[in-house]
Amino acid sequence: MKSPKRVRKADFPWWLVAACALALAAGLSIAVSDLYVQVFVTVSKGIGITVLVTLVAFVLASAAGLGIALMALSSLVWLRQAARFYVEIIRGVPMLVLLFWVAFVGAPALVAAWNAVTLPLQGAGLAEPLMVRDVSLLWRAILALAIGYSAFIAEVFRAGIQSVDVGQVEAAKALGLTRIQRFRLIVLPQAIRTILPPLGNDFIAMVKDSSLVSVLGVADITQMGKIYASGSFRFFETYSIVAYIYLILTVGLSMALRALEQRLRRGQARG
């Protein structure tokens, strides 16, 4: 049997040391090269859009996913069936296809529906008709990502809620707590420990999938790289920088998530 010291030595994150060394070497290469600096400055202009798309889409997807998860756990059969239908259909459509569908089919349909509902107000001069071009491609991309990830996040919430001991819920019910109080005070605080790690993984995956919005011309990291590469024909340098930025974002988030998981485990062990 291996001693604890040997186990700790074997588990030392040498991969992280190697990754940091590569990141440092790449950073130094960028800093000493005028070409790489120019590419980096151009591509990094899309970081703000990438972060915006990811954060807004993830918040919307989490809110929708929680609602769908509660529907899936409802005592009403039609709500459970509707939630299952939504999850299975959305998860079965590739994200890129969903992005195109929402952008070029869903958005015009929503505009037409809005105009139909507000037609009396438009006739009275209280509202103006909405045009498809009024819905920016940025928000169409955000909506598509939110819809696509809400199905996956719904399953995360459902599994986390179901992991809570039923006995504790029944005890809270016997104490006279309402359904909302049981969920807020008993279920959610315990389920959050199970939910956070996979939810964090979905957030990291969304950072990477946000690059898909470049197909709509949204000026994220990937789109800025495409524009620079098509004008300069510096494809190797440009996409190396694009990959470098995404790696910094995703590996950094992954390490933060791992630290949070370890902290939760220590807190659970003390409890």
Side-chain angles (χ1 to χ4, degrees):
M1 182 176 179
K2 293 183 179 180
S3 65
K5 289 185 178 180
R6 290 184 177 180
V7 172
R8 284 195 296 269
K9 187 176 180 180
D11 289 341
F12 186 81
W14 293 107
W15 69 270
L16 181 59
V17 175
C20 290
L22 287 174
L24 181 61
L28 291 174
S29 299
I30 294 171
V32 300
S33 172
D34 292 337
L35 174 60
Y36 277 111
V37 168
Q38 184 179 7
V39 176
F40 184 84
V41 170
T42 302
V43 173
S44 62
K45 293 178 182 177
I47 293 178
I49 294 296
T50 295
V51 173
L52 174 66
V53 168
T54 303
L55 288 178
V56 176
F58 188 77
V59 170
L60 294 176
S62 297
L66 178 58
I68 296 165
L70 294 177
M71 288 173 58
L73 298 172
S74 173
S75 58
L76 299 176
V77 175
W78 69 272
L79 281 178
R80 295 199 304 270
Q81 293 297 323
R84 177 51 55 189
F85 176 83
Y86 178 89
V87 169
E88 295 301 332
I89 294 299
I90 296 300
R91 289 198 306 178
V93 179
M95 190 62 67
L96 184 59
V97 176
L98 184 62
L99 190 70
F100 282 131
W101 193 92
V102 170
F104 302 116
V105 180
L110 286 175
V111 170
W114 173 261
N115 288 333
V117 171
T118 60
L119 187 60
L121 296 177
Q122 295 174 22
L126 299 175
E128 294 183 359
L130 186 66
M131 306 296 291
V132 175
R133 63 174 177 268
D134 294 332
V135 183
S136 69
L137 291 173
L138 173 64
W139 283 103
R140 299 187 205 187
I142 289 173
L143 181 60
L145 285 175
I147 292 173
Y149 270 84
S150 64
F152 295 95
I153 292 176
E155 290 295 280
V156 171
F157 276 116
R158 182 187 60 78
I161 293 171
Q162 287 183 324
S163 68
V164 177
D165 186 11
V166 179
Q168 296 189 36
V169 179
E170 293 297 330
K173 187 176 181 180
L175 291 173
L177 297 180
T178 64
R179 180 173 296 181
I180 296 177
Q181 288 176 327
R182 294 197 299 270
F183 180 77
R184 182 171 60 87
L185 300 175
I186 305 299
V187 176
L188 189 59
Q190 298 184 68
I192 202 70
R193 294 178 179 177
T194 305
I195 290 170
L196 274 180
L199 203 61
N201 290 332
D202 282 338
F203 182 74
I204 294 172
M206 186 178 282
V207 172
K208 294 184 291 184
D209 279 348
S210 68
S211 62
L212 295 174
V213 305
S214 63
V215 301
L216 300 181
V218 178
D220 70 325
I221 296 171
T222 304
Q223 178 66 8
M224 297 305 294
K226 287 167 60 178
I227 293 173
Y228 186 88
S230 62
S232 65
F233 298 99
R234 295 285 186 176
F235 295 100
F236 175 81
E237 294 85 352
T238 302
Y239 287 111
S240 295
I241 294 295
V242 170
Y244 178 74
I245 293 175
Y246 276 114
L247 279 172
I248 293 296
L249 291 174
T250 55
V251 173
L253 287 170
S254 179
M255 295 307 301
L257 177 62
R258 185 165 301 183
L260 179 60
E261 289 181 24
Q262 292 176 352
R263 185 173 181 179
L264 288 176
R265 289 196 193 100
R266 288 196 297 267
Q268 192 172 9
R270 294 192 192 101

